[in-house]
Amino acid sequence: LLGYDLTVVSVVLEPVRNEFNVCGQQFSCLLKELFVAMPAPGAVVGSLYGGVVARRLGRLPALGISDALLVVAALLMCLGPAYWILLVGRFFVGLGVGVGMVVFSTYTSEVSPTHLRGRLGLLQEICQCIGCIFTFGTAALMVDTAPYWRWLLAIAGIVGAVQCLGLSFLPESPRWLMSKDRKESARRNMRRLGVGSDEEIEELLREMEEERDRALAMKQAQENARVAALHAASASADASSCASPSTAPTEPAGAPPAHQSSDRYQPPTNSTNEHSSSTGGSAHAHEQQNGDTRPPRL
């Protein structure tokens, strides 16, 4: 399907442009370029979330989701009455391809024997090339059928539906089953795959179990380190907030600073002035009584 979906756009691009009058009299424009480029962002999103889906739901359900996305894309493109619906369908093509590429590689590496993994990887590349050739051969046979471009886009959905039905005959990955602690199902699927004798199966299951335990222990250690770092940061923040404040004496509100009260001149209070005035008046009266005509002291 990957090879077919990558090359079918080169066959249907011009008929689609004429059907929806895209770009007008121009040979190229943004809308036409989007029809070619929309699978790219879809593949980015699909590849990012394909691994998450495969880890949580399983390898076969993830492959089924990939095929379902391709079927939806084919329906949108072959039945879409508007050009923007075709663009949405192209985006779904990218989603399906992105999920499928990630999950297929994981699945084949987990269910195939060691000496056959390279051949299965090569077979995938050969099938992609066959899909490219199949696109041009089918287009040559249907070029006189109007509108043939819708049939070409629908073929991808038909192939995706057949592939989705074929997944029901495949066993789930034993390694994924062991990661979910489903040892009996993993043993049964390994027998379906023809891994070897019962002793070899038990040995492989033991290795998978040890690998799962190591992965869980590593994950738990990382979680403990993260929690310890958070506690250390929280304790440091609490210690900083509980530090003792400055021991400098506080002054009442509205009082002038200490250096200003010592440096500036402070006039005498009213009581002092009254005392000085009374004292000076008494001395002046006494001097007048004694005949002293000198002016009073100020």
Side-chain angles (χ1 to χ4, degrees), residues 70-262:
L70 292 175
V71 172
V72 172
L75 291 175
L76 289 174
M77 290 186 294
C78 71
L79 301 177
Y83 186 72
W84 67 269
I85 298 179
L86 269 69
L87 295 180
V88 175
R90 292 288 292 169
F91 182 81
F92 272 81
V93 168
L95 285 176
V97 170
V99 174
M101 289 298 294
V102 173
V103 182
F104 176 79
S105 302
T106 305
Y107 179 75
T108 54
S109 64
E110 290 178 350
V111 301
S112 60
T114 305
H115 63 282
L116 294 178
R117 290 176 186 172
R119 300 178 187 179
L120 286 176
L122 177 62
L123 183 61
Q124 179 187 4
E125 301 297 329
I126 294 175
C127 290
Q128 291 177 10
C129 297
I130 293 175
C132 297
I133 299 173
F134 180 76
T135 302
F136 297 111
T138 306
L141 295 175
M142 301 178 63
V143 69
D144 295 330
T145 305
Y148 73 96
W149 63 270
R150 290 188 182 271
W151 288 104
L152 287 175
L153 295 175
I155 289 176
I158 297 173
V159 177
V162 173
Q163 182 171 296
C164 188
L165 293 176
L167 293 176
S168 59
F169 300 99
L170 297 178
E172 180 57 271
S173 168
R175 191 173 296 275
W176 180 82
L177 292 172
M178 286 298 298
S179 68
K180 301 300 180 181
D181 201 16
R182 296 166 57 180
K183 190 171 184 179
E184 290 300 324
S185 299
R187 182 183 291 108
R188 184 168 56 253
N189 286 358
M190 292 182 74
R191 287 171 180 167
R192 288 182 58 188
L193 292 170
V195 173
S197 61
D198 292 342
E199 290 77 8
E200 294 176 349
I201 291 177
E202 293 300 325
E203 180 66 24
L204 291 175
L205 290 176
R206 192 179 305 109
E207 293 178 359
M208 293 179 187
E209 192 171 7
E210 293 175 356
E211 183 178 344
R212 180 200 62 192
D213 294 339
R214 287 195 302 268
L216 291 176
M218 184 179 298
K219 184 178 180 180
Q220 186 63 36
Q222 293 175 352
E223 182 66 18
N224 294 338
R226 186 182 68 84
V227 172
L230 291 176
H231 287 173
S234 178
S236 177
D238 293 342
S240 300
S241 62
C242 295
S244 60
S246 176
T247 58
T250 59
E251 298 179 354
H259 67 277
Q260 293 184 2
S261 62
S262 60

Side-chain angles (χ1 to χ4, degrees), residues 11-88:
V11 178
V12 304
L13 183 59
E14 195 63 22
V16 168
R17 186 179 74 86
N18 296 331
E19 178 78 15
F20 295 98
N21 194 22
V22 179
C23 300
Q25 300 299 324
Q26 299 179 1
F27 177 75
S28 179
C29 63
L30 178 61
L31 291 178
K32 186 177 179 180
E33 294 169 358
L34 284 176
F35 187 79
V36 179
M38 282 303 289
V44 171
V45 177
S47 61
L48 289 175
Y49 289 96
V52 178
V53 175
R55 183 175 65 252
R56 293 184 178 182
L57 303 181
R59 313 317 189 206
L60 292 182
L63 288 174
I65 291 174
S66 172
D67 293 330
L69 289 172
L70 292 175
V71 172
V72 172
L75 291 175
L76 289 174
M77 290 186 294
C78 71
L79 301 177
Y83 186 72
W84 67 269
I85 298 179
L86 269 69
L87 295 180
V88 175

